[in-house]
Amino acid sequence: MSTEVKVPTLGESVTEATVGEWLKQPGDAVAVDEPIASLETDKVAVEVPSPVAGRLESHAVEVGATVEVGAVIALVTAGDTAPAEKAPAAQPKADKALADKQSSDEIAALPDDKAAASGAPAGDGSVTMSPAVRRAVIEHGVDPTSIKGTGKDGRLTKEDVIAAAEAKKAAPSDASAPAAPAPAPVPAAAKGERREERVKMTRMRQTIAKRLKGAQDNAALLTTFNDCDMTAVIEAREAYKDLFAKKHGIKLGFMSFFAKAACLALKDVPAVNAYIDGDEIVYHDYVDISVAVSAPNGLVVPVVRSADAMSFAEIELAIADFGKRAKEGALTMDDMAGGTFTISNGGVFGSLMSTPIINPPQSAVLGLHRIEDRPVARNGEVVIRPMMYLALSYDHRIIDGREAVTALKIMKEAIEDPMRLLIDL
């Protein structure tokens, strides 16, 4: 008896999604609630579980198809968990389309076992990979079967492949070991030959593009800057990092300091924590901080709720959990709903200065940047201090320049003198 697998409820105001990846192929055995497909929504990837135990009978839609909530995407034969007796399945259409985009010389350069793992059904050594991961495997020439996946259910992520490729390059050669056969050379592109590739934007990337462009079109964006001496925070972390980690089971990072400093400023300057709704301004007596996190499919902003009522440890634990789940693609729609203020840390990627764009309907975003030693004047002398540029982008329709500058100055002073965070000054 066949059971329909339907698109589940995706969240408030989300009515459709794109089929991003099939985790199970026709003939594969599935357990109850075992994910069989991954759907891409405007914000997150959502896995579709099997409603019954049995065997996947067929796919009703292809990778890349847009499906609505309640639509049937697959059929599962209930109770039949025995492997299907059938000839080796043909390569899925989506995988074939991706393979067609790769140059023939790249595919030819892959060893047989890697070619099998790149999308075609294989034996016991096959690895389930998304198109992005498969492409990374081809580009870096690594063996996916030798890499331990850190994604959900042990699946490979693009970061796993890149890390394995870098480790392979950094590994010292063993002179005593027999020389491995040289890989087949990849034919060089003909001189003057130029290539281009068209890849359909994911639903998440399309939404990011629309929201950011909408913020520019609808808000009166302006950015104010300041620089911040990180000496006191660095010294505090160094003095208490071991005790903090021992007591709370998490490292003491910079984000908790900036989150608490932002809470202090937003309480004193409520307009920075408000937003415009029609012809009204909505103020909040709480601070829900959206923290920009890099995920495999793009930037996501999960929300640390009531950050003003949380301790340093609670904030660090929440952010660490978001980072881990973003990498695994396990964030939910509820994780990213709401938010009254955003903090984005471009410094982890080496950014010196930027003008971040607000996250609608919010009215302000704090941009953090890399810390670098710079000469500054202190008490009439030039000294070297670890400095960071801070950027506060805001909607000038609701926040005046005086308010924005005041809020950023409060954050700067709280970071330079963390005692202010304890005495609410």
Side-chain angles (χ1 to χ4, degrees):
M1 178 179 178
S2 298
T3 300
E4 295 179 338
V5 180
K6 299 182 178 181
V7 177
T9 301
L10 301 172
E12 184 179 357
S13 76
V14 180
T15 59
E16 62 181 21
T18 301
V19 180
E21 178 185 4
W22 282 108
L23 307 178
K24 292 289 185 178
Q25 299 300 325
D28 290 350
V30 295
V32 177
D33 293 332
E34 182 178 7
I36 64 172
S38 177
L39 304 181
E40 293 180 354
T41 70
D42 292 350
K43 296 181 179 180
V44 294
V46 178
E47 291 186 336
V48 181
S50 173
V52 296
R55 178 173 53 82
L56 183 63
E57 182 177 321
S58 64
H59 296 159
V61 293
E62 299 179 359
V63 170
T66 298
V67 291
E68 296 183 349
V69 172
V72 177
I73 61 172
L75 294 176
V76 174
T77 303
D80 184 1
T81 58
E85 295 293 335
K86 63 181 188 303
Q91 187 180 37
K93 292 182 180 180
D95 290 343
K96 183 178 182 303
L98 179 67
D100 289 343
K101 292 180 182 178
Q102 310 296 334
S103 59
S104 59
D105 53 339
E106 287 178 319
I107 300 300
L110 279 175
D112 291 343
D113 57 340
K114 295 179 187 176
S118 67
D124 295 338
S126 64
V127 178
T128 300
M129 296 182 292
S130 68
V133 174
R134 189 175 303 112
R135 179 171 178 79
V137 167
I138 293 173
E139 290 179 347
H140 294 281
V142 296
D143 181 1
T145 61
S146 65
I147 306 172
K148 183 178 180 181
T150 61
K152 191 167 185 179
D153 297 328
R155 290 199 296 273
L156 291 183
T157 66
K158 185 176 179 181
E159 288 74 14
D160 294 333
V161 175
I162 294 174
E166 292 177 349
K168 183 178 178 182
K169 292 178 182 178
S173 58
D174 187 352
S176 63
V186 178
K191 187 175 181 180
E193 180 183 357
R194 300 191 301 172
R195 299 175 182 173
E196 62 181 33
E197 178 182 4
R198 290 181 180 269
V199 179
K200 183 177 176 61
M201 293 173 67
T202 64
R203 180 171 294 275
M204 182 182 294
R205 177 52 59 185
Q206 292 178 44
T207 300
I208 291 173
K210 290 177 182 178
R211 286 175 62 85
L212 294 182
K213 183 57 182 173
Q216 288 184 320
D217 292 342
N218 299 323
L221 289 178
L222 189 62
T223 304
T224 183
F225 299 94
N226 215 320
D227 60 356
C228 180
D229 187 341
M230 298 293 293
T231 300
V233 168
I234 291 174
E235 290 177 348
R237 290 182 68 213
E238 187 63 29
Y240 300 109
K241 64 179 182 180
D242 293 337
L243 290 174
F244 189 89
K246 182 177 180 180
K247 180 175 181 178
H248 301 292
I250 188 72
K251 291 182 179 179
L252 178 60
F254 290 122
M255 283 297 291
S256 54
F257 284 93
F258 280 102
K260 297 300 286 185
C263 291
L264 190 67
L266 300 183
K267 291 292 185 179
D268 284 355
V269 189
V272 183
N273 195 43
Y275 69 88
I276 294 176
D277 184 14
D279 59 356
E280 298 178 331
I281 298 177
V282 180
Y283 292 95
H284 307 92
D285 66 351
Y286 55 88
V287 179
D288 286 352
I289 296 183
S290 301
V291 181
V293 177
S294 179
N297 292 331
L299 192 70
V300 294
V301 279
V303 181
V304 179
R305 305 189 190 283
S306 298
D308 52 319
M310 298 174 71
S311 67
F312 279 70
E314 289 171 332
I315 292 174
E316 292 290 352
L317 287 167
I319 294 174
D321 177 60
F322 285 146
K324 179 176 180 292
R325 289 196 286 136
K327 185 177 180 180
E328 296 173 350
L331 289 174
T332 67
M333 301 292 290
D334 290 340
D335 290 328
M336 283 171 285
T340 63
F341 182 77
T342 295
I343 298 179
S344 177
N345 186 5
V348 297
F349 304 109
S351 173
L352 175 65
M353 185 181 291
S354 67
T355 55
I357 300 178
I358 63 174
N359 179 24
Q362 298 172 19
S363 298
V365 52
L366 175 66
L368 309 182
H369 303 90
R370 77 170 185 252
I371 302 170
E372 64 175 9
D373 290 340
R374 290 201 298 269
V376 294
R378 293 289 185 270
N379 299 321
E381 296 182 353
V382 176
V383 295
I384 303 298
R385 293 292 176 87
M387 304 296 293
M388 176 195 287
Y389 286 117
L390 304 180
L392 183 70
S393 291
Y394 59 98
D395 187 347
H396 213 340
R397 296 177 303 164
I398 181 176
I399 303 171
D400 294 332
R402 175 185 61 82
E403 293 173 315
V405 171
T406 299
L408 188 58
K409 185 171 178 286
I410 292 173
M411 298 180 206
K412 165 189 167 70
E413 291 174 343
I415 294 298
E416 292 184 337
D417 182 9
M419 184 61 71
R420 289 173 175 264
L421 298 175
L422 299 178
I423 61 178
D424 192 19
L425 184 60

